[in-house]
């Protein structure tokens, strides 16, 4: 059974720091991995989608990597800003139903 | 604007009173699904639909029903809500059921059952 873990559960950093969020999964048979952002009381915003054949994806200050063999993904945020404060979720997609299996998230606070 | 919409956004109800949460997408997506989000448990899939008239159970289907009579709509029905169904609900869709396609999420419906 696929399990997704995100470490740390919470992170507080000063503005301007570069930071890394970690996601690990137990079954490497995935189709893709998606990183989401969730603001309090809001829905999920898709940040990056990495297909199983890809190693990384970039969007602006965000870079996500995927190492299927070790069951790990990282989300790198460069030059963090207070507006980056949110919960970041990773989810893997696999299996016959193509459902997303989510981690429990990392709550990020960027202090001005 | 391409989007997934849900209504209502907030709902407080009493035990046993049937309710429906609507979900609609305007992207002609075939695959739609419902998730619930609970503290410490993350998001878990309730039901999914591969296409019109094709629905199936996810990980936590007990107490819920769905229907998919047309491509754009995928309502979630709680026939007799109970307090343990108090949660944040999300509808999601993707172009095809294939795992290579990105999933898009609605804004969420916060349900409280007293």
């Amino acid at each position: 059974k696929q399990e997704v873990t995100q470490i740390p559960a919470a992170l507080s950093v000063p503005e301007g720091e570069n930071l890394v969020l970690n996601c690990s999964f137990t079954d490497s048979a995935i189709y893709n991995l998606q990183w989401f952002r969730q603001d309090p009381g809001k829905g999920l915003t898709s940040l990056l989608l990495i297909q199983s054949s890809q190693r990384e994806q970039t969007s602006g200050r965000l870079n996500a990597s995927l190492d299927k063999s070790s069951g790990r993904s990282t989300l790198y945020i460069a030059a963090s800003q207070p507006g980056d404060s949110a919960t970041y979720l990773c989810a893997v997609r696999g299996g016959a139903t193509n459902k997303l299996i989510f981690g429990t998230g990392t709550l990020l606070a960027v202090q001005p | 604007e391409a989007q997934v919409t849900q209504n209502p956004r907030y709902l407080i109800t009493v035990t046993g009173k049937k309710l429906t949460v609507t979900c609609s997408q305007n992207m002609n997506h075939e695959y739609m699904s419902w998730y619930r989000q609970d503290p410490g448990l993350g998001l878990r899939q309730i039901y999914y639909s591969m296409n019109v008239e094709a629905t199936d159970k996810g990980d936590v289907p007990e107490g819920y029903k769905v229907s998919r009579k047309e491509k754009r709509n995928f309502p979630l029905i709680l026939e007799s809500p109970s307090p343990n169904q108090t949660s944040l609900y999300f509808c999601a869709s993707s172009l095809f059921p294939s795992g290579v396609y990105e999933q898009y999420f609605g804004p969420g419906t916060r349900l409280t059952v007293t």
Side-chain angles (χ1 to χ4, degrees):
Chain A
K1 180 184 173 185
Q2 179 74 271
E3 292 182 3
V4 181
T5 304
Q6 291 186 247
I7 294 173
L11 181 63
S12 180
V13 300
E15 181 176 4
E17 269 203 12
N18 303 323
L19 58 99
V20 174
L21 307 181
N22 297 294
C23 172
S24 61
F25 48 96
T26 55
D27 186 348
S28 62
I30 64 171
Y31 289 115
N32 59 42
L33 184 145
Q34 214 169 334
W35 281 93
F36 294 88
R37 168 186 173 138
Q38 184 175 23
D39 294 281
K42 301 275 182 73
L44 279 70
T45 301
S46 180
L47 298 173
L48 289 164
L49 172 70
I50 311 177
Q51 302 296 349
S52 63
S53 58
Q54 297 174 322
R55 298 284 293 186
E56 65 178 319
Q57 281 286 337
T58 298
S59 175
R61 293 182 294 108
L62 305 179
N63 176 277
S65 68
L66 175 64
D67 184 342
K68 258 184 54 174
S69 60
S70 67
R72 293 182 182 178
S73 176
T74 61
L75 179 67
Y76 174 82
I77 302 177
S80 58
Q81 304 170 357
D84 294 330
S85 298
T87 296
Y88 290 80
L89 298 162
C90 74
V92 298
R93 190 170 185 184
T97 65
N98 288 319
K99 68 182 174 186
L100 287 174
I101 306 292
F102 283 84
T104 50
T106 294
L107 177 61
L108 173 65
V110 181
Q111 309 299 332
Chain B
E1 179 190 354
Q3 59 184 349
V4 179
T5 57
Q6 295 178 227
N7 283 291
R9 294 288 315 280
Y10 303 91
L11 179 60
I12 301 174
T13 190
V14 296
T15 299
K17 186 176 181 182
K18 180 180 179 180
L19 65 92
T20 299
V21 183
T22 65
C23 172
S24 183
Q25 49 89 9
N26 61 2
M27 297 170 280
N28 203 37
H29 285 177
E30 287 191 2
Y31 184 88
M32 297 184 75
S33 62
W34 277 101
Y35 293 83
R36 61 178 288 175
Q37 185 178 32
D38 302 288
L41 297 176
L43 284 97
R44 295 173 292 166
Q45 191 183 57
I46 304 170
Y47 267 94
Y48 65 94
S49 170
M50 295 287 199
N51 211 328
V52 176
E53 303 291 3
T55 63
D56 211 340
K57 298 176 182 178
D59 292 326
V60 288
E62 294 77 22
Y64 304 95
K65 284 176 56 178
V66 292
S67 69
R68 186 93 182 273
K69 292 182 169 46
E70 48 189 344
K71 204 173 197 179
R72 63 183 293 128
N73 296 323
F74 190 45
L76 179 69
I77 303 156
L78 285 73
E79 294 269 2
S80 183
S82 63
N84 64 12
Q85 292 179 297
T86 293
S87 187
L88 181 57
Y89 291 87
F90 289 103
C91 180
S93 72
S94 67
L95 183 58
F96 295 115
S98 166
V100 302
Y101 293 96
E102 185 174 1
Q103 287 206 34
Y104 298 85
F105 281 74
T109 294
R110 185 166 294 281
L111 171 65
T112 302
V113 183
T114 62

